[in-house]
Amino acid sequence: MGAARLEHVTSTETAGQQSGNSSAEPLQRKEQPDQREQRAPERPEEQAGREVTGRDDAAPQFVLPLVARLERAAPPARTDALETAARAVLVLLSDGRAAGDGEWAEAVRKWQDSRIRKVVRRARGAEWRRAEALPGITVHGGGAEVRVYPPVPLDAWPKDLARLQVSGTELDDPQPPGPPADGVPVLWLNPALEMSAGKEMAQAGHGAQLAWWQLSEEERAAWRATGFTLAVRSAEPAEWEALTRSGLPVVRDAGFTEIAPGSCTVVADHPALRRALLPGG
């Protein structure tokens, strides 16, 4: 496995903007020739390792919908929701319906061949029951529930998802999350940034996807066997700069909402990717 640096430029639009979407464009990634259905194709600027500043919007744009269940009486803890959203992205990417000739494969290919936009919306009560009736996968955390759907055209959402709200996805942790367990993949959040829970859920999903793209088939299978165990934590301020320069996958935001352009939001720290950075890895 190579130790090439992987970054993504992302943009997130929240309440009051277009569909609350978060999108990512690739900069550089490891080749996985037998996994075309699981990644976007390499572009010349990616191979050169240069930041992608232009956008190819000529092709139809697809978005990955995620819906978080937020009941008034029992909202999930923030970290639980972030981790569950990240796992939901991985569950969809690894699902047989998203690969090969699966029923979702064409939509997933189109989504990954242009931009990997993600939209996080919220639902409760009857809204959640309608959302859960649509084709997708519900992923459970400690108390969080997130349903992920196959990608849909940006301008052709199912009506029961289109009517759901983007705003209001605000959550807290009753207690600060403890340190991640040894050997568990960690999505490190930039400690200097303040983001809404919905934006952080989308960013965590981006980070998980970048890690997935970099892993071998054996490493993916091993992660899937754990149920995609992972942790989302805020990095120590003194360690953040080193993380962004470590060679691990980095999510970089375009800064259309909430944060400044070019802000690094997430570093995807998977043990297998760390091993690949070692001499001889």
Side-chain angles (χ1 to χ4, degrees):
M1 179 182 300
R5 182 179 176 82
L6 177 73
E7 294 187 358
H8 260 56
V9 176
T10 74
S11 63
T12 304
E13 298 167 357
T14 50
Q17 276 109 21
Q18 198 174 25
S19 299
N21 70 80
S22 176
S23 65
E25 291 188 83
L27 299 187
Q28 184 178 355
R29 68 181 66 129
K30 171 190 165 187
E31 278 293 332
Q32 294 278 1
D34 59 340
Q35 285 296 311
R36 174 175 170 79
E37 69 276 7
Q38 294 291 4
R39 64 166 181 87
E42 293 285 353
R43 301 173 184 171
E45 61 264 41
E46 293 166 6
Q47 295 167 355
R50 294 194 298 271
E51 183 168 310
V52 177
T53 54
R55 293 181 182 177
D56 180 11
D57 288 330
Q61 297 296 300
F62 280 72
V63 61
L64 185 77
L66 297 112
V67 176
R69 184 178 185 180
L70 270 64
E71 299 293 346
R72 294 183 190 276
R78 186 184 185 101
T79 297
D80 186 16
L82 300 183
E83 293 173 349
T84 306
R87 290 176 50 237
V89 172
L90 294 167
V91 167
L92 181 127
L93 290 171
S94 66
D95 192 280
R97 290 167 289 184
D101 296 324
E103 60 186 289
W104 298 344
E106 183 177 2
V108 170
R109 280 194 293 270
K110 289 179 177 179
W111 171 56
Q112 295 197 117
D113 281 350
S114 54
R115 305 171 73 183
I116 55 169
R117 298 185 179 190
K118 298 177 180 69
V119 173
V120 178
R121 298 193 173 193
R122 60 181 174 85
R124 61 172 60 96
E127 293 176 331
W128 174 255
R129 291 190 290 274
R130 287 192 294 268
E132 202 167 30
L134 297 173
I137 308 168
T138 298
V139 177
H140 298 263
E145 292 180 64
V146 176
R147 189 164 180 84
V148 61
Y149 302 85
V152 298
L154 187 60
D155 58 354
W157 280 64
K159 64 179 182 179
D160 283 331
L161 297 184
R163 62 174 53 138
L164 297 177
Q165 296 296 311
V166 177
S167 61
T169 313
E170 290 305 325
L171 301 167
D172 295 308
D173 281 315
Q175 301 291 333
D182 291 341
V184 170
V186 182
L187 303 173
W188 294 109
L189 299 173
N190 186 335
L193 298 178
E194 292 187 7
M195 294 182 279
S196 66
K199 185 177 180 84
E200 283 191 343
M201 290 170 73
Q203 298 295 316
H206 290 326
Q209 189 165 1
L210 265 60
W212 174 261
W213 276 342
Q214 289 290 87
L215 296 173
S216 69
E217 282 302 297
E218 293 76 14
E219 290 160 349
R220 289 177 176 183
W223 199 9
R224 183 179 184 181
T226 71
F228 292 117
T229 298
L230 58 81
V232 178
R233 296 290 189 273
S234 182
E236 290 295 330
E239 298 175 359
W240 176 250
E241 185 67 20
L243 281 169
T244 64
R245 296 179 180 277
S246 65
L248 293 167
V250 178
V251 178
R252 189 181 296 272
D253 197 81
F256 293 122
T257 63
E258 297 195 30
I259 58 178
S263 298
C264 296
T265 57
V266 177
V267 174
D269 189 353
H270 191 288
L273 301 183
R274 271 207 179 270
R275 288 193 295 271
L277 297 175
L278 298 174

